PDB file of all heavy atoms in Angstrom:
ATOM      1  N   ASN A 193      91.101 103.175 100.150  1.00 97.00           N
ATOM      2  CA  ASN A 193      91.607 102.201  99.202  1.00 97.00           C
ATOM      3  C   ASN A 193      90.807 102.364  97.908  1.00 97.00           C
ATOM      4  O   ASN A 193      89.577 102.464  97.952  1.00 97.00           O
ATOM      5  CB  ASN A 193      91.437 100.784  99.746  1.00 97.00           C
ATOM      6  CG  ASN A 193      92.133  99.745  98.883  1.00 97.00           C
ATOM      7  OD1 ASN A 193      93.150 100.024  98.264  1.00 97.00           O
ATOM      8  ND2 ASN A 193      91.578  98.553  98.835  1.00 97.00           N
ATOM      9  N   TYR A 194      91.530 102.422  96.790  1.00 98.00           N
ATOM     10  CA  TYR A 194      90.896 102.630  95.494  1.00 98.00           C
ATOM     11  C   TYR A 194      91.251 101.504  94.534  1.00 98.00           C
ATOM     12  O   TYR A 194      92.350 100.954  94.579  1.00 98.00           O
ATOM     13  CB  TYR A 194      91.363 103.941  94.862  1.00 98.00           C
ATOM     14  CG  TYR A 194      90.922 105.184  95.567  1.00 98.00           C
ATOM     15  CD1 TYR A 194      91.721 105.774  96.548  1.00 98.00           C
ATOM     16  CD2 TYR A 194      89.718 105.808  95.240  1.00 98.00           C
ATOM     17  CE1 TYR A 194      91.323 106.923  97.202  1.00 98.00           C
ATOM     18  CE2 TYR A 194      89.315 106.974  95.878  1.00 98.00           C
ATOM     19  CZ  TYR A 194      90.126 107.516  96.854  1.00 98.00           C
ATOM     20  OH  TYR A 194      89.727 108.674  97.489  1.00 98.00           O
ATOM     21  N   ALA A 195      90.329 101.214  93.636  1.00 98.00           N
ATOM     22  CA  ALA A 195      90.652 100.326  92.529  1.00 98.00           C
ATOM     23  C   ALA A 195      91.704 101.012  91.659  1.00 98.00           C
ATOM     24  O   ALA A 195      91.678 102.242  91.495  1.00 98.00           O
ATOM     25  CB  ALA A 195      89.408 100.033  91.698  1.00 98.00           C
ATOM     26  N   GLU A 196      92.616 100.233  91.101  1.00 98.00           N
ATOM     27  CA  GLU A 196      93.671 100.799  90.266  1.00 98.00           C
ATOM     28  C   GLU A 196      93.095 101.592  89.098  1.00 98.00           C
ATOM     29  O   GLU A 196      93.644 102.624  88.705  1.00 98.00           O
ATOM     30  CB  GLU A 196      94.576  99.687  89.742  1.00 98.00           C
ATOM     31  CG  GLU A 196      95.527  99.106  90.763  1.00 98.00           C
ATOM     32  CD  GLU A 196      96.559 100.109  91.247  1.00 98.00           C
ATOM     33  OE1 GLU A 196      96.976 100.974  90.435  1.00 98.00           O
ATOM     34  OE2 GLU A 196      96.933 100.058  92.427  1.00 98.00           O
ATOM     35  N   SER A 197      91.988 101.144  88.585  1.00 97.00           N
ATOM     36  CA  SER A 197      91.409 101.768  87.391  1.00 97.00           C
ATOM     37  C   SER A 197      90.842 103.159  87.651  1.00 97.00           C
ATOM     38  O   SER A 197      90.582 103.903  86.702  1.00 97.00           O
ATOM     39  CB  SER A 197      90.301 100.871  86.825  1.00 97.00           C
ATOM     40  OG  SER A 197      89.280 100.678  87.784  1.00 97.00           O
ATOM     41  N   VAL A 198      90.640 103.526  88.923  1.00 98.00           N
ATOM     42  CA  VAL A 198      90.042 104.832  89.224  1.00 98.00           C
ATOM     43  C   VAL A 198      90.997 105.749  89.981  1.00 98.00           C
ATOM     44  O   VAL A 198      90.664 106.915  90.228  1.00 98.00           O
ATOM     45  CB  VAL A 198      88.726 104.691  90.014  1.00 98.00           C
ATOM     46  CG1 VAL A 198      87.768 103.735  89.303  1.00 98.00           C
ATOM     47  CG2 VAL A 198      88.968 104.253  91.449  1.00 98.00           C
ATOM     48  N   LYS A 199      92.157 105.250  90.352  1.00 98.00           N
ATOM     49  CA  LYS A 199      93.115 106.074  91.102  1.00 98.00           C
ATOM     50  C   LYS A 199      93.472 107.325  90.311  1.00 98.00           C
ATOM     51  O   LYS A 199      93.749 107.264  89.114  1.00 98.00           O
ATOM     52  CB  LYS A 199      94.377 105.272  91.411  1.00 98.00           C
ATOM     53  CG  LYS A 199      94.233 104.315  92.571  1.00 98.00           C
ATOM     54  CD  LYS A 199      95.545 103.607  92.875  1.00 98.00           C
ATOM     55  CE  LYS A 199      95.386 102.672  94.061  1.00 98.00           C
ATOM     56  NZ  LYS A 199      96.648 101.946  94.366  1.00 98.00           N
ATOM     57  N   GLY A 200      93.463 108.458  90.997  1.00 97.00           N
ATOM     58  CA  GLY A 200      93.772 109.727  90.362  1.00 97.00           C
ATOM     59  C   GLY A 200      92.578 110.390  89.706  1.00 97.00           C
ATOM     60  O   GLY A 200      92.661 111.561  89.308  1.00 97.00           O
ATOM     61  N   ARG A 201      91.475 109.668  89.579  1.00 98.00           N
ATOM     62  CA  ARG A 201      90.267 110.237  88.948  1.00 98.00           C
ATOM     63  C   ARG A 201      89.100 110.335  89.935  1.00 98.00           C
ATOM     64  O   ARG A 201      88.295 111.261  89.844  1.00 98.00           O
ATOM     65  CB  ARG A 201      89.841 109.372  87.763  1.00 98.00           C
ATOM     66  CG  ARG A 201      90.888 109.262  86.664  1.00 98.00           C
ATOM     67  CD  ARG A 201      90.326 108.551  85.428  1.00 98.00           C
ATOM     68  NE  ARG A 201      89.918 107.179  85.693  1.00 98.00           N
ATOM     69  CZ  ARG A 201      88.694 106.704  85.493  1.00 98.00           C
ATOM     70  NH1 ARG A 201      87.739 107.489  85.017  1.00 98.00           N
ATOM     71  NH2 ARG A 201      88.414 105.434  85.749  1.00 98.00           N
ATOM     72  N   PHE A 202      88.995 109.360  90.829  1.00 98.00           N
ATOM     73  CA  PHE A 202      87.888 109.320  91.789  1.00 98.00           C
ATOM     74  C   PHE A 202      88.402 109.652  93.180  1.00 98.00           C
ATOM     75  O   PHE A 202      89.525 109.292  93.548  1.00 98.00           O
ATOM     76  CB  PHE A 202      87.257 107.932  91.828  1.00 98.00           C
ATOM     77  CG  PHE A 202      86.496 107.528  90.594  1.00 98.00           C
ATOM     78  CD1 PHE A 202      86.565 108.263  89.416  1.00 98.00           C
ATOM     79  CD2 PHE A 202      85.713 106.384  90.606  1.00 98.00           C
ATOM     80  CE1 PHE A 202      85.872 107.879  88.283  1.00 98.00           C
ATOM     81  CE2 PHE A 202      85.003 105.979  89.490  1.00 98.00           C
ATOM     82  CZ  PHE A 202      85.091 106.725  88.330  1.00 98.00           C
ATOM     83  N   THR A 203      87.535 110.291  93.976  1.00 98.00           N
ATOM     84  CA  THR A 203      87.868 110.610  95.355  1.00 98.00           C
ATOM     85  C   THR A 203      86.690 110.281  96.252  1.00 98.00           C
ATOM     86  O   THR A 203      85.565 110.734  95.993  1.00 98.00           O
ATOM     87  CB  THR A 203      88.222 112.092  95.516  1.00 98.00           C
ATOM     88  OG1 THR A 203      89.320 112.424  94.647  1.00 98.00           O
ATOM     89  CG2 THR A 203      88.631 112.388  96.958  1.00 98.00           C
ATOM     90  N   ILE A 204      86.954 109.493  97.290  1.00 98.00           N
ATOM     91  CA  ILE A 204      85.918 109.176  98.264  1.00 98.00           C
ATOM     92  C   ILE A 204      86.083 110.087  99.476  1.00 98.00           C
ATOM     93  O   ILE A 204      87.202 110.376  99.903  1.00 98.00           O
ATOM     94  CB  ILE A 204      85.971 107.686  98.679  1.00 98.00           C
ATOM     95  CG1 ILE A 204      84.779 107.331  99.565  1.00 98.00           C
ATOM     96  CG2 ILE A 204      87.299 107.334  99.347  1.00 98.00           C
ATOM     97  CD1 ILE A 204      84.640 105.833  99.836  1.00 98.00           C
ATOM     98  N   SER A 205      84.966 110.542  99.997  1.00 96.00           N
ATOM     99  CA  SER A 205      84.988 111.359 101.204  1.00 96.00           C
ATOM    100  C   SER A 205      83.738 111.045 102.013  1.00 96.00           C
ATOM    101  O   SER A 205      82.795 110.423 101.508  1.00 96.00           O
ATOM    102  CB  SER A 205      85.044 112.852 100.856  1.00 96.00           C
ATOM    103  OG  SER A 205      83.897 113.239 100.118  1.00 96.00           O
ATOM    104  N   ARG A 206      83.741 111.454 103.256  1.00 93.00           N
ATOM    105  CA  ARG A 206      82.572 111.198 104.089  1.00 93.00           C
ATOM    106  C   ARG A 206      82.387 112.338 105.073  1.00 93.00           C
ATOM    107  O   ARG A 206      83.348 112.977 105.500  1.00 93.00           O
ATOM    108  CB  ARG A 206      82.676 109.854 104.795  1.00 93.00           C
ATOM    109  CG  ARG A 206      83.863 109.665 105.682  1.00 93.00           C
ATOM    110  CD  ARG A 206      84.035 108.204 106.092  1.00 93.00           C
ATOM    111  NE  ARG A 206      83.034 107.780 107.053  1.00 93.00           N
ATOM    112  CZ  ARG A 206      82.919 106.535 107.509  1.00 93.00           C
ATOM    113  NH1 ARG A 206      83.735 105.596 107.059  1.00 93.00           N
ATOM    114  NH2 ARG A 206      81.990 106.210 108.403  1.00 93.00           N
ATOM    115  N   ASP A 207      81.139 112.554 105.418  1.00 91.00           N
ATOM    116  CA  ASP A 207      80.756 113.539 106.417  1.00 91.00           C
ATOM    117  C   ASP A 207      80.062 112.758 107.521  1.00 91.00           C
ATOM    118  O   ASP A 207      78.886 112.391 107.392  1.00 91.00           O
ATOM    119  CB  ASP A 207      79.829 114.582 105.792  1.00 91.00           C
ATOM    120  CG  ASP A 207      79.473 115.703 106.743  1.00 91.00           C
ATOM    121  OD1 ASP A 207      79.535 115.481 107.972  1.00 91.00           O
ATOM    122  OD2 ASP A 207      79.122 116.787 106.270  1.00 91.00           O
ATOM    123  N   ASN A 208      80.801 112.486 108.583  1.00 87.00           N
ATOM    124  CA  ASN A 208      80.231 111.658 109.654  1.00 87.00           C
ATOM    125  C   ASN A 208      79.053 112.343 110.342  1.00 87.00           C
ATOM    126  O   ASN A 208      78.140 111.676 110.827  1.00 87.00           O
ATOM    127  CB  ASN A 208      81.305 111.309 110.675  1.00 87.00           C
ATOM    128  CG  ASN A 208      82.290 110.280 110.147  1.00 87.00           C
ATOM    129  OD1 ASN A 208      81.949 109.467 109.289  1.00 87.00           O
ATOM    130  ND2 ASN A 208      83.511 110.317 110.641  1.00 87.00           N
ATOM    131  N   ALA A 209      79.079 113.653 110.392  1.00 89.00           N
ATOM    132  CA  ALA A 209      77.973 114.380 111.030  1.00 89.00           C
ATOM    133  C   ALA A 209      76.665 114.166 110.264  1.00 89.00           C
ATOM    134  O   ALA A 209      75.586 114.209 110.847  1.00 89.00           O
ATOM    135  CB  ALA A 209      78.299 115.858 111.115  1.00 89.00           C
ATOM    136  N   LYS A 210      76.791 113.937 108.955  1.00 91.00           N
ATOM    137  CA  LYS A 210      75.612 113.726 108.120  1.00 91.00           C
ATOM    138  C   LYS A 210      75.391 112.257 107.780  1.00 91.00           C
ATOM    139  O   LYS A 210      74.476 111.924 107.031  1.00 91.00           O
ATOM    140  CB  LYS A 210      75.730 114.531 106.826  1.00 91.00           C
ATOM    141  CG  LYS A 210      75.752 116.033 107.036  1.00 91.00           C
ATOM    142  CD  LYS A 210      75.826 116.761 105.696  1.00 91.00           C
ATOM    143  CE  LYS A 210      75.801 118.267 105.893  1.00 91.00           C
ATOM    144  NZ  LYS A 210      75.875 118.993 104.598  1.00 91.00           N
ATOM    145  N   ASN A 211      76.266 111.392 108.290  1.00 90.00           N
ATOM    146  CA  ASN A 211      76.166 109.963 107.940  1.00 90.00           C
ATOM    147  C   ASN A 211      76.128 109.774 106.427  1.00 90.00           C
ATOM    148  O   ASN A 211      75.332 108.980 105.897  1.00 90.00           O
ATOM    149  CB  ASN A 211      74.916 109.322 108.565  1.00 90.00           C
ATOM    150  CG  ASN A 211      75.202 108.666 109.901  1.00 90.00           C
ATOM    151  OD1 ASN A 211      76.350 108.569 110.329  1.00 90.00           O
ATOM    152  ND2 ASN A 211      74.153 108.216 110.561  1.00 90.00           N
ATOM    153  N   THR A 212      76.981 110.503 105.722  1.00 93.00           N
ATOM    154  CA  THR A 212      76.954 110.502 104.263  1.00 93.00           C
ATOM    155  C   THR A 212      78.361 110.254 103.727  1.00 93.00           C
ATOM    156  O   THR A 212      79.340 110.798 104.243  1.00 93.00           O
ATOM    157  CB  THR A 212      76.420 111.832 103.724  1.00 93.00           C
ATOM    158  OG1 THR A 212      75.088 112.030 104.217  1.00 93.00           O
ATOM    159  CG2 THR A 212      76.383 111.827 102.202  1.00 93.00           C
ATOM    160  N   VAL A 213      78.430 109.432 102.681  1.00 95.00           N
ATOM    161  CA  VAL A 213      79.686 109.191 101.979  1.00 95.00           C
ATOM    162  C   VAL A 213      79.501 109.637 100.527  1.00 95.00           C
ATOM    163  O   VAL A 213      78.423 109.498  99.959  1.00 95.00           O
ATOM    164  CB  VAL A 213      80.124 107.719 102.081  1.00 95.00           C
ATOM    165  CG1 VAL A 213      79.122 106.794 101.413  1.00 95.00           C
ATOM    166  CG2 VAL A 213      81.511 107.515 101.506  1.00 95.00           C
ATOM    167  N   TYR A 214      80.559 110.195  99.967  1.00 97.00           N
ATOM    168  CA  TYR A 214      80.511 110.747  98.612  1.00 97.00           C
ATOM    169  C   TYR A 214      81.553 110.066  97.727  1.00 97.00           C
ATOM    170  O   TYR A 214      82.570 109.556  98.212  1.00 97.00           O
ATOM    171  CB  TYR A 214      80.804 112.245  98.641  1.00 97.00           C
ATOM    172  CG  TYR A 214      79.910 113.037  99.552  1.00 97.00           C
ATOM    173  CD1 TYR A 214      80.319 113.348 100.851  1.00 97.00           C
ATOM    174  CD2 TYR A 214      78.662 113.482  99.133  1.00 97.00           C
ATOM    175  CE1 TYR A 214      79.516 114.076 101.704  1.00 97.00           C
ATOM    176  CE2 TYR A 214      77.841 114.220  99.979  1.00 97.00           C
ATOM    177  CZ  TYR A 214      78.272 114.505 101.265  1.00 97.00           C
ATOM    178  OH  TYR A 214      77.461 115.226 102.107  1.00 97.00           O
ATOM    179  N   LEU A 215      81.288 110.098  96.448  1.00 98.00           N
ATOM    180  CA  LEU A 215      82.274 109.657  95.472  1.00 98.00           C
ATOM    181  C   LEU A 215      82.319 110.700  94.361  1.00 98.00           C
ATOM    182  O   LEU A 215      81.372 110.816  93.573  1.00 98.00           O
ATOM    183  CB  LEU A 215      81.928 108.284  94.898  1.00 98.00           C
ATOM    184  CG  LEU A 215      82.974 107.688  93.955  1.00 98.00           C
ATOM    185  CD1 LEU A 215      84.254 107.344  94.734  1.00 98.00           C
ATOM    186  CD2 LEU A 215      82.439 106.454  93.238  1.00 98.00           C
ATOM    187  N   GLN A 216      83.403 111.467  94.330  1.00 98.00           N
ATOM    188  CA  GLN A 216      83.620 112.434  93.268  1.00 98.00           C
ATOM    189  C   GLN A 216      84.320 111.717  92.123  1.00 98.00           C
ATOM    190  O   GLN A 216      85.411 111.168  92.314  1.00 98.00           O
ATOM    191  CB  GLN A 216      84.459 113.601  93.753  1.00 98.00           C
ATOM    192  CG  GLN A 216      84.766 114.634  92.686  1.00 98.00           C
ATOM    193  CD  GLN A 216      83.535 115.365  92.200  1.00 98.00           C
ATOM    194  OE1 GLN A 216      82.685 115.762  92.996  1.00 98.00           O
ATOM    195  NE2 GLN A 216      83.411 115.540  90.888  1.00 98.00           N
ATOM    196  N   MET A 217      83.702 111.721  90.957  1.00 98.00           N
ATOM    197  CA  MET A 217      84.242 111.003  89.807  1.00 98.00           C
ATOM    198  C   MET A 217      84.567 112.005  88.707  1.00 98.00           C
ATOM    199  O   MET A 217      83.659 112.682  88.194  1.00 98.00           O
ATOM    200  CB  MET A 217      83.224 109.972  89.301  1.00 98.00           C
ATOM    201  CG  MET A 217      82.761 109.002  90.377  1.00 98.00           C
ATOM    202  SD  MET A 217      81.692 107.695  89.743  1.00 98.00           S
ATOM    203  CE  MET A 217      80.257 108.662  89.267  1.00 98.00           C
ATOM    204  N   ASN A 218      85.831 112.109  88.369  1.00 98.00           N
ATOM    205  CA  ASN A 218      86.296 113.027  87.328  1.00 98.00           C
ATOM    206  C   ASN A 218      86.892 112.228  86.173  1.00 98.00           C
ATOM    207  O   ASN A 218      87.222 111.055  86.319  1.00 98.00           O
ATOM    208  CB  ASN A 218      87.342 113.992  87.889  1.00 98.00           C
ATOM    209  CG  ASN A 218      86.807 114.860  89.004  1.00 98.00           C
ATOM    210  OD1 ASN A 218      85.626 115.222  89.009  1.00 98.00           O
ATOM    211  ND2 ASN A 218      87.671 115.190  89.942  1.00 98.00           N
ATOM    212  N   SER A 219      87.036 112.892  85.048  1.00 98.00           N
ATOM    213  CA  SER A 219      87.627 112.270  83.854  1.00 98.00           C
ATOM    214  C   SER A 219      86.984 110.916  83.560  1.00 98.00           C
ATOM    215  O   SER A 219      87.672 109.916  83.336  1.00 98.00           O
ATOM    216  CB  SER A 219      89.142 112.100  84.051  1.00 98.00           C
ATOM    217  OG  SER A 219      89.762 113.338  84.299  1.00 98.00           O
ATOM    218  N   LEU A 220      85.692 110.909  83.564  1.00 98.00           N
ATOM    219  CA  LEU A 220      84.966 109.649  83.391  1.00 98.00           C
ATOM    220  C   LEU A 220      85.186 109.054  82.012  1.00 98.00           C
ATOM    221  O   LEU A 220      85.320 109.777  81.009  1.00 98.00           O
ATOM    222  CB  LEU A 220      83.471 109.862  83.647  1.00 98.00           C
ATOM    223  CG  LEU A 220      83.111 109.948  85.132  1.00 98.00           C
ATOM    224  CD1 LEU A 220      81.772 110.630  85.327  1.00 98.00           C
ATOM    225  CD2 LEU A 220      83.094 108.559  85.750  1.00 98.00           C
ATOM    226  N   LYS A 221      85.221 107.727  81.988  1.00 98.00           N
ATOM    227  CA  LYS A 221      85.451 106.968  80.761  1.00 98.00           C
ATOM    228  C   LYS A 221      84.261 106.049  80.501  1.00 98.00           C
ATOM    229  O   LYS A 221      83.545 105.680  81.441  1.00 98.00           O
ATOM    230  CB  LYS A 221      86.709 106.116  80.897  1.00 98.00           C
ATOM    231  CG  LYS A 221      87.961 106.889  81.276  1.00 98.00           C
ATOM    232  CD  LYS A 221      89.121 105.938  81.511  1.00 98.00           C
ATOM    233  CE  LYS A 221      90.378 106.686  81.917  1.00 98.00           C
ATOM    234  NZ  LYS A 221      91.518 105.772  82.147  1.00 98.00           N
ATOM    235  N   PRO A 222      84.052 105.649  79.267  1.00 97.00           N
ATOM    236  CA  PRO A 222      82.944 104.724  78.981  1.00 97.00           C
ATOM    237  C   PRO A 222      83.007 103.448  79.827  1.00 97.00           C
ATOM    238  O   PRO A 222      81.960 102.909  80.207  1.00 97.00           O
ATOM    239  CB  PRO A 222      83.119 104.426  77.490  1.00 97.00           C
ATOM    240  CG  PRO A 222      83.753 105.665  76.940  1.00 97.00           C
ATOM    241  CD  PRO A 222      84.689 106.127  78.020  1.00 97.00           C
ATOM    242  N   GLU A 223      84.205 102.993  80.146  1.00 97.00           N
ATOM    243  CA  GLU A 223      84.342 101.782  80.952  1.00 97.00           C
ATOM    244  C   GLU A 223      83.957 101.984  82.408  1.00 97.00           C
ATOM    245  O   GLU A 223      83.926 101.017  83.183  1.00 97.00           O
ATOM    246  CB  GLU A 223      85.757 101.205  80.853  1.00 97.00           C
ATOM    247  CG  GLU A 223      86.858 102.202  81.113  1.00 97.00           C
ATOM    248  CD  GLU A 223      87.429 102.801  79.836  1.00 97.00           C
ATOM    249  OE1 GLU A 223      86.640 103.157  78.929  1.00 97.00           O
ATOM    250  OE2 GLU A 223      88.681 102.930  79.767  1.00 97.00           O
ATOM    251  N   ASP A 224      83.675 103.213  82.805  1.00 98.00           N
ATOM    252  CA  ASP A 224      83.158 103.465  84.156  1.00 98.00           C
ATOM    253  C   ASP A 224      81.650 103.239  84.224  1.00 98.00           C
ATOM    254  O   ASP A 224      81.069 103.304  85.313  1.00 98.00           O
ATOM    255  CB  ASP A 224      83.464 104.902  84.587  1.00 98.00           C
ATOM    256  CG  ASP A 224      84.950 105.163  84.748  1.00 98.00           C
ATOM    257  OD1 ASP A 224      85.648 104.299  85.309  1.00 98.00           O
ATOM    258  OD2 ASP A 224      85.406 106.242  84.304  1.00 98.00           O
TER     259      ASP A 224
END
């Protein structure tokens, strides 16, 4: 589930083996 303001720009992923979650943020804006 994504906030409307970040849809299409941010991607969340996780690696359960590493107990790690990531947030890839592209096309960043000052309001981010």
Side-chain angles (χ1 to χ4, degrees):
N193 188 31
Y194 293 92
E196 285 295 327
S197 60
V198 307
K199 281 183 179 179
R201 299 188 298 122
F202 291 11
T203 302
I204 187 171
S205 61
R206 58 192 287 176
D207 184 336
N208 287 333
K210 296 182 178 180
N211 266 353
T212 300
V213 63
Y214 305 96
L215 185 67
Q216 178 66 43
M217 305 186 293
N218 299 327
S219 302
L220 282 160
K221 305 175 181 180
E223 51 264 44
D224 294 318

